[in-house]
Amino acid sequence: MLVNGIHYRTIWVDENSEELICIIDQTRLPFEFVIKKIDCYQDMIKAIVDMEVRGAGLIGAASAFAVYLAVLRAPKDDAQFDAYIKEVASKIKSSRPTAINLEWATDRMLQAIQNTGSSVQRIKIALDQAIKIADEDSEFGRMIGIHGLPLIEKISKKNGDVVNILTHCNAGWLALVDYGTALSPIYAAHEKGIKVHVWVDETRPRNQGASLTAWELNAAGIPHTVIADNAGGLLMQNGKVDLVIVGSDRTTHTGDVCNKIGTYLKALAANDNNIPFYAAVYSSSFDWTIKDGLKDIPIEQRNGDELRYIKGLDNTSKIKEVCIIPSSSPVSNYAFDVTPARLITALITERGICNANPESIAVLFPEKVKNNRK
Ligand code: MRU
């Protein structure tokens, strides 16, 4: 993705030191573009918890680099190393519970460094594997764009007009290592000259739509309008939405999709108005071990202050947080919800498009389903 004409990914190895991992601090967007350099796994975990890095794909890649940073400073003795890395892995995995990518990337890192020889060799293998995971994440996003593009193209040909797409939260470049999931087909369509306009749900409580998706779309020059979360239904009733595309933090092999809180309500409204509702998902965001998204996906509950306070620029252009809820009122802050497969028109994956059901998913990912869904 280009920012002021320079290509960035959301996480990368510092060009002057392999011991530093660079991230874009997403808590400062859209106000400031700040690059942070991280040199220990504890700080990478903190960046995940504080949502300086967020979005399922990116926190997967960040987890991989966290394991690498831990390996860099690990005890040399094998027995000590095993206990140490096990503890690190469990801390990383529990840093954010809903997105499966953390667990997937951490386990893949552990597997790669298993039974390695010297500590020097282990460091090299860990770095190579983390880079590979990041590269794959970016490539999955790119492929989702390629497979999702015809859906937009078809509507554009039929309408002969601008295609209006509604999206929720941020499932763009900032949520992955590059390209994004839900926004990737939109970027591909825009690049091909297809006229698109994006309705951007603000996405309370943290407003990743208003702050991050709007920022990304501005940077890419794509027409868009930020709307209050509850406006989507009205727009759909009035024929102002041609399709909905959202991302996913965990998808069951039966097609249930867990995404940012409020996604389910958009799916209900789309269903009621006969509007296609697509989820852009990829292999590392599938949980092959569970069947029932509603019952089995852990829903992250975050600090209530995210709901109590709103962050923005004051009239002196300083970033400020203001409280909007009576201090004595309790709040609850669920971060994700599950959209049942029956409300999803289709899944856009890195391998193509499939229906949100076990049979159709298994056709695209036969080896995952066969290998006991891992
Ligand atoms: O809480 P966040 O900002 O990490 O939530 C991110 C989302 O819900 C995205 O829509 C998402 O990760 C899907 S795209 C990989």
Side-chain angles (χ1 to χ4, degrees):
M1 171 91 186
L2 295 178
V3 180
N4 297 327
I6 300 171
H7 177 260
Y8 287 94
R9 282 183 166 190
T10 53
I11 193 162
W12 66 97
V13 181
D14 185 68
E15 58 182 5
N16 297 314
S17 166
E18 285 194 341
E19 302 200 356
L20 291 175
I21 304 304
C22 302
I23 60 161
I24 295 159
D25 181 352
Q26 299 195 17
T27 62
R28 310 279 280 273
L29 289 171
F31 313 115
E32 299 167 329
F33 185 77
V34 177
I35 292 168
K36 238 178 139 170
K37 297 187 181 193
I38 296 185
D39 66 357
C40 63
Y41 84 86
Q42 292 92 338
D43 285 355
M44 189 61 90
I45 291 180
K46 190 168 179 324
I48 294 172
V49 172
D50 294 346
M51 292 177 65
E52 291 173 355
V53 286
R54 35 68 50 201
L58 175 54
I59 54 181
S63 304
F65 281 112
V67 175
Y68 159 64
L69 290 171
V71 170
L72 258 181
R73 286 164 182 54
K76 303 232 174 334
D77 170 81
D78 273 354
Q80 277 180 30
F81 177 82
D82 287 348
Y84 161 85
I85 207 70
K86 225 170 146 183
E87 195 189 323
V88 168
S90 109
K91 283 183 189 158
I92 297 171
K93 287 183 188 180
S94 59
S95 59
R96 290 201 67 193
T98 297
I100 187 80
N101 301 58
L102 283 97
E103 198 179 313
W104 171 85
T106 305
D107 286 343
R108 191 162 143 184
M109 289 295 291
L110 294 188
Q111 221 173 7
I113 58 175
Q114 229 177 29
N115 307 322
T116 40
S118 66
S119 56
V120 177
Q121 219 182 352
R122 194 146 56 201
I123 291 169
K124 178 165 176 6
I125 289 172
L127 177 60
D128 288 351
Q129 188 64 221
I131 292 172
K132 197 166 170 210
I133 286 173
D135 286 349
E136 271 179 22
D137 190 80
S138 162
E139 180 58 13
F140 288 162
R142 193 181 73 83
M143 291 308 296
I144 285 174
I146 289 174
H147 293 302
L149 168 64
L151 299 171
I152 300 174
E153 207 166 17
K154 199 168 149 198
I155 296 174
S156 156
K157 280 192 184 138
K158 196 169 148 210
N159 288 359
D161 202 355
V162 177
V163 181
N164 284 293
I165 305 160
L166 185 138
T167 192
H168 193 67
C169 193
N170 174 264
W173 163 65
L174 291 165
L176 261 66
V177 173
D178 209 345
Y179 295 97
T181 54
L183 294 195
S184 187
I186 298 173
Y187 288 135
H190 177 71
E191 238 168 66
K192 217 178 160 190
I194 297 168
K195 285 194 184 133
V196 290
H197 165 263
V198 185
W199 295 111
V200 178
D201 284 348
E202 60 175 349
T203 319
R204 280 283 285 148
R206 286 186 70 101
N207 288 324
Q208 294 98 319
S211 56
L212 304 178
T213 300
W215 180 81
E216 266 193 42
L217 293 173
N218 263 317
I222 296 182
H224 61 280
T225 308
V226 178
I227 50 172
D229 280 331
N230 295 325
L234 176 80
L235 294 174
M236 291 185 204
Q237 286 172 321
N238 284 285
K240 294 188 172 167
V241 179
D242 294 307
L243 75 163
V244 180
I245 315 182
V246 299
S248 171
D249 289 76
R250 197 184 285 227
T251 312
T252 64
H253 72 95
T254 53
D256 294 341
V257 165
C258 182
N259 192 51
K260 180 57 49 184
I261 192 82
T263 302
Y264 168 55
L265 293 178
K266 297 296 150 2
L268 282 175
N271 188 264
D272 193 45
N273 289 283
N274 283 321
I275 291 167
F277 182 97
Y278 295 100
V281 309
Y282 58 110
S283 45
S284 44
S285 59
F286 269 97
D287 186 337
W288 304 102
T289 64
I290 57 172
K291 221 165 133 176
D292 184 339
L294 274 175
K295 256 193 7 226
D296 298 330
I297 298 179
I299 300 294
E300 178 178 2
Q301 287 197 56
R302 297 188 56 86
N303 191 315
D305 283 351
E306 292 183 349
L307 206 53
R308 283 191 195 94
Y309 292 88
I310 290 243
K311 186 157 85 173
L313 282 189
D314 71 6
N315 51 13
T316 66
S317 294
K318 280 210 181 87
I319 299 176
K320 257 204 179 133
E321 285 196 352
V322 293
C323 182
I324 57 165
I325 291 174
S327 55
S328 52
S329 292
V331 297
S332 78
N333 187 13
Y334 294 98
F336 296 92
D337 61 24
V338 175
T339 300
R342 70 187 152 80
L343 296 176
I344 298 169
T345 309
L347 303 173
I348 310 168
T349 82
E350 80 269 23
R351 294 190 187 175
I353 294 185
C354 65
N355 293 326
N357 65 45
E359 297 75 26
S360 187
I361 292 168
V363 170
L364 285 189
F365 298 97
E367 80 289 5
K368 305 279 184 191
V369 176
K370 203 166 97 209
N371 296 337
N372 195 19
R373 327 202 136 92
K374 263 287 174 192

